[in-house]
Amino acid sequence: MLDLLRMLQSCWENRSSAAIATIIDKRGSTYRGTGAKSLILPDGTIRGTLSGGCVESDLYEHARQVMETGMPQIKLYDFYGSGDLPWGLGLGCNGALKIWIEPFDPVRKESEARQTLEILSNQLPSATIISSDQPDRYAIGTRIVPGQTETDLPIPPGTGLFTVNHNGARLELYVEKLKPIPRLIIFGAGPDAVPLVRGAKLLQWLVTLVDHRPGYANRDQFPEADEILVSPIGTVPPDLQVQEKDYAVIMTHHFQQDQLFLHHMLSQSVSYLGVLGPRKRTEQLLEGRTVPAHLTLHSPIGLDLKAETPEEIAISILSEILCHVNKGSGVSLRLREGAIHH
């Protein structure tokens, strides 16, 4: 989502058109789930995948029509049995995708483009009319933001497709509750933080790096970090804003600094809090303090991958964060019965 959003912002600044493709419904086994998005540019550039690259070439042709006409489309891909053979895709997947393709046009549809950018930038809940038996009254493509759009149209809770009857009109809505873009706060800018930053950016997370050493915490060492905060030893950066959706990892390798940051984070609410190092050291860092009930302190940090190198340790840490926030089991998928995704 982060790469898609940045490309969309570039389209807005350059006043160039694009198309946004969103999976609004799925059945059976598919590569991505409801809510997955792709941004498609006129030159064929695609940011974000909906099918692992299998339908994107066909999808581009429909997106090109959407960009030319300014009219949204719904495209259904049914891969049950041999239904994918006419496209020459040969997927063999037992599933189906319903994809909503909408224009992003800062020139011809400036207000709609601005609204789309605001929704995605701020992760606002919204509803889009994707079909209407009275398009003169309820136009297809109209997007509604609760609390911002003046309408008495009821917005169902949850995410997905909903059919509503309103003032004599039958409407189909795609309601979307966007997930916030994750941010990883890394306390410590040592060499082992380099692969952790790189891995977090691969996951399209925001990254804030905190350290007291300007020789370590700088753009030369961490060009991909979104924010680098350098604060004198013994202090927490005053401009560090911690949010509940954030993940935090403490790894300065400096006992007093680790202790300072740990005690500070114990007073915050975050989605994940981990400390690098052995269990005994973390107990010493706590200095007898108890972990609040609203927090789970992960120490030793990471999943048991028998990781040795900084790169392996970074994968172990990121895997544990994903497992924790997504409520995963952490077991091998071959040991699971039934569907992989709900």
Side-chain angles (χ1 to χ4, degrees):
M1 175 63 82
L2 192 57
D3 281 353
L4 184 150
L5 178 58
R6 286 174 174 164
M7 185 175 282
L8 200 63
Q9 289 170 331
S10 177
C11 290
W12 173 263
E13 293 167 2
N14 296 323
R15 315 298 286 174
S16 57
S17 63
I20 303 172
T22 304
I23 297 176
I24 59 175
D25 196 19
K26 58 156 282 185
R27 290 184 292 115
S29 175
T30 58
Y31 185 79
R32 299 292 307 277
T34 301
K37 297 181 184 297
S38 282
L39 182 67
I40 305 166
L41 302 185
D43 65 0
T45 299
I46 299 178
R47 184 70 73 212
T49 64
L50 302 185
S51 69
C54 301
V55 306
E56 273 69 13
S57 59
D58 183 75
L59 193 62
Y60 167 68
E61 296 302 321
H62 299 280
R64 188 165 55 83
Q65 295 174 15
V66 167
M67 287 183 273
E68 290 174 355
T69 64
M71 299 298 295
Q73 291 185 19
I74 292 178
K75 181 64 180 174
L76 177 64
Y77 292 95
D78 191 337
F79 304 128
Y80 282 100
S82 59
D84 56 340
L85 296 181
W87 291 300
L89 302 176
L91 298 179
C93 298
N94 290 319
L97 294 174
K98 181 179 284 189
I99 299 175
W100 170 254
I101 312 170
E102 60 185 316
F104 181 85
D105 194 331
V107 176
R108 292 182 297 175
K109 293 178 175 290
E110 182 179 6
S111 60
E112 292 90 339
R114 183 188 296 109
Q115 183 190 47
T116 297
L117 191 58
E118 182 182 2
I119 289 171
L120 295 179
S121 298
N122 299 304
Q123 294 91 53
L124 302 177
S126 65
T128 303
I129 299 175
I130 64 167
S131 70
S132 167
D133 64 357
Q134 297 186 27
D136 292 339
R137 295 174 58 200
Y138 300 100
I140 295 173
T142 299
R143 183 174 275 121
I144 301 157
V145 179
Q148 291 189 11
T149 309
E150 293 186 9
T151 179
D152 58 349
L153 180 65
I155 306 301
T159 294
L161 290 178
F162 299 88
T163 300
V164 299
N165 294 295
H166 181 65
N167 292 337
R170 183 177 177 84
L171 310 172
E172 189 173 17
L173 305 177
Y174 172 63
V175 180
E176 187 171 56
K177 305 291 193 302
L178 291 170
K179 292 182 179 180
I181 297 174
R183 180 177 69 145
L184 176 61
I185 305 172
I186 304 173
F187 295 95
D192 54 351
V194 173
L196 187 59
V197 172
R198 191 177 301 128
K201 295 309 298 179
L202 186 64
L203 293 170
Q204 297 199 40
W205 295 354
L206 297 167
V207 175
T208 293
L209 193 69
V210 180
D211 204 285
H212 62 282
R213 301 162 293 187
Y216 283 65
N218 56 64
R219 288 290 167 198
D220 290 337
Q221 301 295 323
F222 296 95
E224 295 178 285
D226 297 278
E227 183 181 35
I228 298 177
L229 301 177
V230 179
S231 184
I233 194 166
T235 65
V236 176
D239 50 348
L240 175 64
Q241 303 295 321
V242 179
Q243 302 181 53
E244 190 171 351
K245 67 180 179 65
D246 292 337
Y247 317 143
V249 173
I250 299 172
M251 49 186 299
T252 71
H253 301 283
H254 185 288
F255 187 88
Q256 283 75 23
Q257 282 297 98
D258 278 357
Q259 188 174 64
L260 172 72
F261 292 138
L262 176 57
H263 289 184
H264 176 73
M265 293 307 297
L266 290 177
S267 65
Q268 308 293 316
S269 291
V270 289
S271 294
Y272 175 93
L273 176 60
V275 180
L276 185 69
R279 184 176 291 105
K280 184 174 179 58
R281 181 178 185 271
T282 300
E283 291 172 354
Q284 293 171 339
L285 291 173
L286 284 169
E287 209 175 37
R289 297 194 181 193
T290 58
V291 179
H294 70 275
L295 282 177
T296 298
L297 181 59
H298 297 263
S299 181
I301 197 172
L303 295 184
D304 182 11
L305 305 181
K306 298 297 185 287
E308 294 288 344
T309 67
E311 291 76 15
E312 291 174 349
I313 293 170
I315 291 174
S316 170
I317 293 171
L318 295 170
S319 297
E320 183 180 63
I321 295 174
L322 285 171
C323 188
H324 176 71
V325 299
N326 293 335
K327 296 180 172 56
S329 65
V331 303
S332 175
L333 289 176
R334 70 179 181 83
L335 300 177
R336 285 198 54 178
E337 296 182 359
I340 296 175
H341 301 289
H342 294 295

